[in-house]
Amino acid sequence: MKLKKNIPLIDQHDKDGFWGKKFGGSFIPETLKKPIDDLTNSFAKLRNNKKFIQKRDYYFKNYIGAPTPLIKLENLSHHLGGAQIWTKVVSEANGGAHKIYNATVHALICKSMGKKYIVGDTGAGYAGKMLSMAAKKFGLKCKIFMGIKDIKRQKPNCDAIRKNGAEIVPVYSGSQTLVDAVSECMRYWVSNCDTTHMAVGSTVGPNIFVKICGWSTSQISRELKLQIKKEFKNFPKKIKLINCVGGGSSAYGFWSEFIDFPKSQIELIGVEAGGPEKSRLHAAPLSRGAKIGILHGAASYVCQNKDGQINETESISAGLDYPGVSPIHCFLKDSKRAKYTYATDEEALKAYKLVTKFEKLNPSLEPSHAFAEAIKCAPKLSKDTIIIVNSCGDAKKDRDILKKRLRRKI
Ligand SMILES: *Cc1c(COP(=O)(O)O)cnc(C)c1O
């Protein structure tokens, strides 16, 4: 499996929408074909439209607050010895995480297509929260589809969604979680596609949603590339870009500008959720040998049992607690351009403790998985190696769980 040079990874799929012939595609009912084709055509035009790009960049800057800072974690680097550790504080974006990039672009697409309603599905609630935020900003009516089980366990996010003026549509079918919320949301979209746009919250789902999300989050690596050039007189010879991977949108956004660099110069390391040490459950399909399956309308490595039933997953971080992963990361794994590993719940907590002990940074539990990997490898590396971690979320949202697990206020 080989990557092509000079072509964005989001465009390196075949005519059926598959990356590396196996991953992605659009596994959708016939009734979804028309709205998906319409969206595909509109997006193809918009992404090449100067006015649309200007509008996107205007809101990235003046609504999201881009560029987010690149800072050096001097105390942590000094404590660990070895490589220099830097971080891009993407959590300083409006809303406290990278999901706002994708939500904003979807709201702009919705408006450009002349639609007034936007719908989306959510599991842990963060994608729904960000979409409702963007909908409010751009004056769109918003419905968020959510399994009733998730509604019950994610109350703060549900409150935030409603506060933004969006409606939560409870889903009672099947497992009453994300998988069924996705199906319900798509069904609703089919019946209302003349007035309504649909968004997916990560680089997952039918091919077009992977592309839109990747196109949106790639802003992060455009910024990072400029920041590295500005910071270092000579572009460093050894860089490791470490990012947590749930669906994979922040990792793709962090890496997209660097894919064509040689592996020996820029290494890409994805860190999945290994779950609790004592549990057999995890959310690490790439690093723990899951088989290919179909989830969310696309083929990817999926945590499943030997009969092909989707496995329940378990992770301390809600954002990473997803049994599938972006087809783009499956492609990056099989082409060996990126490496994937995992950190356990305990390792992520330990990393959180160490980072906050030495630095004025408050990474949520998702990027704490990435920091766990940085902490593992930094001491073994030389000073001229630059590790950059994407600090893609703020720990404010994890306050209760951190209080419980670390017995301290944050
Ligand atoms: C949702 C979320 C993730 C996981 O999603 P990706 O698509 O893999 O980025 C990671 N970190 C934070 C802070 C999130 O909110």
Side-chain angles (χ1 to χ4, degrees):
M1 222 172 258
K2 259 196 128 152
L3 302 178
K4 295 188 189 102
K5 290 237 172 203
N6 298 318
I7 300 176
L9 207 44
I10 55 167
D11 297 320
Q12 292 191 30
H13 55 79
D14 62 18
K15 66 177 190 347
D16 298 317
F18 288 92
W19 282 269
K21 298 204 175 81
K22 289 197 281 198
F23 306 114
S26 273
F27 294 80
I28 49 166
E30 187 56 31
T31 47
L32 258 183
K33 196 174 170 317
K34 186 183 175 305
I36 292 248
D37 284 349
D38 289 349
L39 177 58
T40 304
N41 293 334
S42 296
F43 178 62
K45 284 188 197 128
L46 288 172
R47 66 186 283 196
N48 289 311
N49 177 321
K50 265 206 188 109
K51 277 215 174 106
F52 186 76
I53 304 266
Q54 272 169 6
K55 215 186 279 175
R56 175 197 71 175
D57 291 345
Y58 176 84
Y59 288 109
F60 278 0
K61 178 165 177 280
N62 297 305
Y63 171 57
I64 294 179
T68 56
L70 173 69
I71 61 169
K72 185 173 182 188
L73 302 181
E74 232 163 34
N75 295 348
L76 184 68
S77 306
H78 183 74
H79 169 76
L80 293 168
Q84 294 178 43
I85 304 180
W86 292 67
T87 189
K88 186 159 170 61
V89 196
V90 172
S91 60
E92 288 206 0
N94 199 359
H98 61 282
K99 284 193 180 74
I100 195 63
Y101 289 98
N102 181 52
T104 299
V105 167
H106 271 289
L108 291 173
I109 291 174
C110 179
K111 277 179 84 95
S112 296
M113 290 178 80
K115 299 179 177 183
K116 293 196 171 60
Y117 299 86
I118 194 163
V119 294
D121 47 69
T122 197
Y126 298 111
K129 184 175 154 183
M130 291 293 193
L131 191 64
S132 66
M133 211 175 121
K136 183 179 172 187
K137 163 77 184 171
F138 294 99
L140 301 165
K141 277 225 173 300
C142 177
K143 279 185 205 286
I144 301 295
F145 289 75
M146 197 168 177
I148 188 75
K149 248 194 209 162
D150 290 330
I151 293 177
K152 284 183 186 148
R153 59 188 173 189
Q154 305 290 348
K155 188 162 179 311
N157 284 339
C158 294
D159 292 347
I161 291 169
R162 294 195 184 100
K163 217 173 129 194
N164 287 331
E167 180 193 343
I168 296 178
V169 182
V171 174
Y172 294 93
S173 53
S175 65
Q176 308 186 326
T177 59
L178 180 65
V179 181
D180 306 286
V182 172
S183 317
E184 280 301 320
C185 186
M186 286 183 171
R187 215 167 292 149
Y188 179 90
W189 188 37
V190 170
S191 321
N192 298 278
C193 58
D194 291 341
T195 56
T196 305
H197 172 69
M198 178 176 158
V200 172
S202 182
T203 38
V204 297
N207 175 283
I208 183 60
F209 292 107
V210 176
K211 296 183 67 152
I212 294 174
C213 184
W215 189 76
S216 312
T217 55
S218 62
Q219 165 72 10
I220 299 167
S221 68
R222 281 194 296 276
E223 292 172 14
L224 179 60
K225 199 172 177 186
L226 292 175
Q227 287 167 323
I228 293 174
K229 280 186 181 155
K230 209 170 142 204
E231 193 61 51
F232 299 91
K233 238 191 308 159
N234 300 313
F235 206 92
K237 295 265 173 348
K238 273 199 178 303
I239 300 181
K240 281 180 193 280
L241 299 179
I242 307 184
N243 206 119
C244 62
V245 176
S249 66
S250 56
Y252 177 72
F254 199 49
W255 297 345
S256 57
E257 284 288 315
F258 303 101
I259 307 272
D260 285 351
F261 279 74
K263 244 189 328 202
S264 53
Q265 184 178 13
I266 302 192
E267 228 186 303
L268 312 174
I269 301 167
V271 188
E272 298 186 299
E277 244 147 44
K278 291 213 177 83
S279 168
R280 278 179 39 247
L281 298 179
H282 56 80
L286 293 169
S287 56
R288 293 184 68 168
K291 292 212 174 71
I292 297 176
I294 292 166
L295 177 68
H296 222 143
S300 77
Y301 290 116
V302 180
C303 300
Q304 56 193 299
N305 68 16
K306 58 181 190 318
D307 304 324
Q309 291 268 24
I310 306 299
N311 267 358
E312 217 185 301
T313 55
E314 192 177 0
S315 165
I316 192 170
S317 83
L320 303 183
D321 204 354
Y322 179 67
V325 66
S326 175
I328 287 188
H329 288 290
C330 301
F331 186 39
L332 281 170
K333 175 186 152 89
D334 280 20
S335 63
K336 300 200 163 62
R337 177 63 189 90
K339 275 201 304 213
Y340 297 87
T341 180
Y342 62 88
T344 62
D345 287 2
E346 292 78 8
E347 287 170 325
L349 279 167
K350 237 170 95 181
Y352 173 80
K353 257 169 59 176
L354 198 71
V355 170
T356 50
K357 180 176 170 194
F358 285 104
E359 303 289 347
K360 192 183 169 298
L361 184 77
N362 196 21
S364 69
L365 286 164
E366 293 84 7
S368 291
H369 285 71
F371 277 111
E373 177 62 22
I375 289 164
K376 259 182 237 171
C377 62
K380 298 179 219 148
L381 299 166
S382 67
K383 260 202 170 55
D384 52 5
T385 305
I386 312 295
I387 292 178
I388 310 177
V389 178
N390 182 357
S391 195
C392 57
D394 188 278
K396 253 186 252 135
K397 72 176 181 63
D398 297 326
R399 208 178 52 204
D400 292 345
I401 186 155
L402 284 167
K403 209 163 107 186
K404 200 165 126 199
R405 295 291 295 263
L406 301 177
R407 289 195 197 84
R408 68 165 149 136
K409 283 214 183 91
I410 60 159

